[in-house]
Amino acid sequence: MKITQVEAIPYAIPYTKPLRFASGEVTAAEHVLVRVHTDEGVVGIADAPPRPFTYGETQAGVINVIEDLFAPHLIGSSVLEREVIAGHMGRTVGNPVAKSAIDMAVWDALARTLGVPMTDLLGGWTDRMRVSHMLGFDEPAAMVAEAERMRDSYGIATFKVKVGRKPFHLDTAVVRALREGLGDDVELYVDGNRGWSPAESARAMHEMGDLGLLFAEELCPADDVLGRRWLVQQCDVPFIADESAVTPADVTREILGGAATAVSIKTSRTGFTYSRRVHHLAEGLGIEVVMGNQIDGQLGSICTVAFGAAYRSTSQRAGELSNFLDMSDDLLTEPLEIHDGHLAVRPGPGLGVEIDEDKLAHYRTDR
Ligand code: MUC
Ligand code: MG
């Protein structure tokens, strides 16, 4: 079970439909595929999607930190030593996406070595999750058409609407059009990616008060400390901490400080090791969790559903699992499929997915 090699491979796959939101935009998946090889010939895989606008990481930076700082320590370690590996990576500050990809690739190598599916190894609660689709900025009619397409083609009935534009009426008009167009059977929630001030957020939430929203997420910066607490206190739906709560300690601080009342778990930024800690913490605090999306491709999405399906509380709400539908292609031999609004885990050992070597050769950018 000893690690013999670590690969960090950059690749780029264009989006058919770029995603735009208050803190940035993504037009191509410029990610890093991480592969951890063991002396038994097992290969664990995971994806690192750098998000400079959220965590400051870049594709080149992810590769550098893995090759220069993490890989030398990993070589010779056992894939059972997940806590030792996490502890060593923890000596480097930041870099959540790079650390998480290593962590999940090590877990995948372990699960493949044991011959068990990842969800079973993590917790084994269920084998699928309901899917929530993220709608990026556009005109109201285009966003309604997109949601209808997702509902009609994939059975998706939960939508996270990107908000945070100025003036805020641009976004409240979209949410109203979605509710009117799709009716009361769909679940809607909003994510501001810190785009509004606390006062704008409060006014926008008031204006959408009759639209039956499920949650509000990161409407204003958590650094607006008192303003955000004031906003959260008057919010009548759970207020999700996403990019303001990257570590378990951040979650504790944000929840106890009144900056949020729920948390988004993203395996791309907390791997499996720290996502478990966030999940346990949320259970102890008695707050809701949502499995979030770091603008993941198919490999990242299978990690999210593998974790989300493993536990009762992480599989209650729809998980953000459909971003890959907006990409022009992907790297897996058998593409993920969403049916009846659900994404299932793969039954094989580990994550149960394999990389298509021809596709990787085509999209990798280091050769
Ligand atoms: C989200 O939930 O915010 C956009 C920025 C980011 O870091 O993740 C995405 C989705
Ligand atoms: Mg968010």
Side-chain angles (χ1 to χ4, degrees):
M1 294 202 198
K2 290 219 179 305
I3 297 170
T4 53
Q5 191 194 353
V6 178
E7 292 180 277
I9 305 169
Y11 66 91
I13 300 178
Y15 268 63
T16 43
K17 183 176 181 303
L19 184 72
R20 298 195 175 81
F21 44 95
S23 57
E25 99 179 84
V26 172
T27 56
E30 292 168 334
H31 299 185
V32 179
L33 173 68
V34 171
R35 295 205 273 209
V36 169
H37 300 249
T38 76
D39 56 1
E40 291 167 75
V42 172
V43 184
I45 55 175
D47 198 41
R51 297 289 165 248
F53 41 80
T54 311
Y55 312 114
E57 292 171 285
T58 62
Q59 197 181 35
V62 166
I63 294 169
N64 288 346
V65 80
I66 289 176
E67 289 183 346
D68 297 348
L69 299 181
F70 302 155
H73 177 264
L74 282 160
I75 308 295
S77 299
S78 163
V79 292
L80 283 168
E81 296 173 322
R82 289 145 298 159
E83 289 294 320
V84 179
I85 291 167
H88 179 268
M89 290 196 292
R91 290 161 61 176
T92 300
V93 300
N95 294 283
V97 165
K99 290 174 181 170
S100 297
I102 292 284
D103 178 74
M104 293 190 287
V106 169
W107 271 89
D108 185 38
L110 173 61
R112 286 177 198 257
T113 304
L114 299 175
V116 296
M118 184 62 73
T119 295
D120 292 347
L121 183 62
L122 286 166
W125 176 258
T126 182
D127 68 350
R128 64 197 57 233
M129 287 184 71
R130 278 191 300 131
V131 174
S132 160
H133 185 69
M134 200 151 69
L135 296 166
F137 291 164
D138 210 329
E139 296 297 318
M143 290 175 71
V144 172
E146 167 80 352
E148 283 172 347
R149 188 171 70 82
M150 289 293 153
R151 182 196 57 191
D152 299 344
S153 309
Y154 303 102
I156 295 175
T158 302
F159 297 94
K160 168 155 120 173
V161 189
K162 287 299 190 183
V163 299
R165 287 180 286 193
K166 292 167 192 273
F168 64 79
H169 306 283
L170 288 172
D171 295 325
T172 54
V174 167
V175 181
R176 190 163 295 284
L178 284 164
R179 179 56 82 209
E180 283 169 3
L182 283 90
D184 289 337
D185 291 341
V186 299
E187 294 179 326
L188 298 175
Y189 58 112
V190 291
D191 181 2
N193 289 112
R194 299 160 281 144
W196 288 329
S197 68
E200 285 168 327
S201 307
R203 288 174 62 202
M205 286 303 288
H206 183 72
E207 201 173 293
M208 295 185 287
D210 61 330
L211 299 180
L213 296 182
L214 201 58
F215 303 117
E217 177 172 320
E218 296 284 6
L219 298 182
C220 67
D223 283 355
D224 296 345
V225 181
L226 294 182
R228 171 105 159 217
R229 197 182 297 171
W230 167 84
L231 170 67
V232 171
Q233 272 167 0
Q234 61 187 281
C235 229
D236 63 357
V237 291
F239 194 100
I240 301 173
D242 175 15
E243 56 264 48
S244 64
V246 178
T247 67
D250 291 336
V251 175
T252 312
R253 228 175 270 125
E254 296 310 308
I255 299 297
L256 297 187
T261 47
V263 66
S264 172
I265 297 180
K266 293 186 172 176
T267 49
S268 284
R269 71 160 170 242
T270 35
F272 294 139
T273 299
Y274 281 93
S275 292
R276 289 207 300 180
R277 287 164 165 69
V278 173
H279 160 240
H280 293 157
L281 179 59
E283 202 165 279
L285 289 164
I287 57 169
E288 285 216 52
V289 297
V290 174
M291 291 307 300
N293 191 309
Q294 201 54 69
I295 320 178
D296 293 299
Q298 298 194 14
L299 182 51
S301 301
I302 202 74
C303 287
T304 305
V305 73
F307 186 90
Y311 310 101
R312 186 190 58 80
S313 64
T314 51
S315 55
Q316 293 303 293
R317 297 294 185 181
E320 296 165 10
L321 296 162
S322 59
N323 185 75
F324 68 85
L325 295 172
D326 292 339
M327 287 169 58
S328 60
D329 201 358
D330 217 305
L331 295 181
L332 302 187
T333 50
E334 286 178 54
L336 301 189
E337 286 178 8
I338 296 171
H339 292 296
D340 295 332
H342 288 77
L343 181 66
V345 302
R346 284 284 166 83
L351 296 168
V353 295
E354 306 298 336
I355 298 299
D356 182 321
E357 293 299 330
D358 291 336
K359 288 192 172 182
L360 180 60
H362 180 68
Y363 291 115
R364 68 189 295 170
T365 51
D366 58 347
R367 296 196 172 146

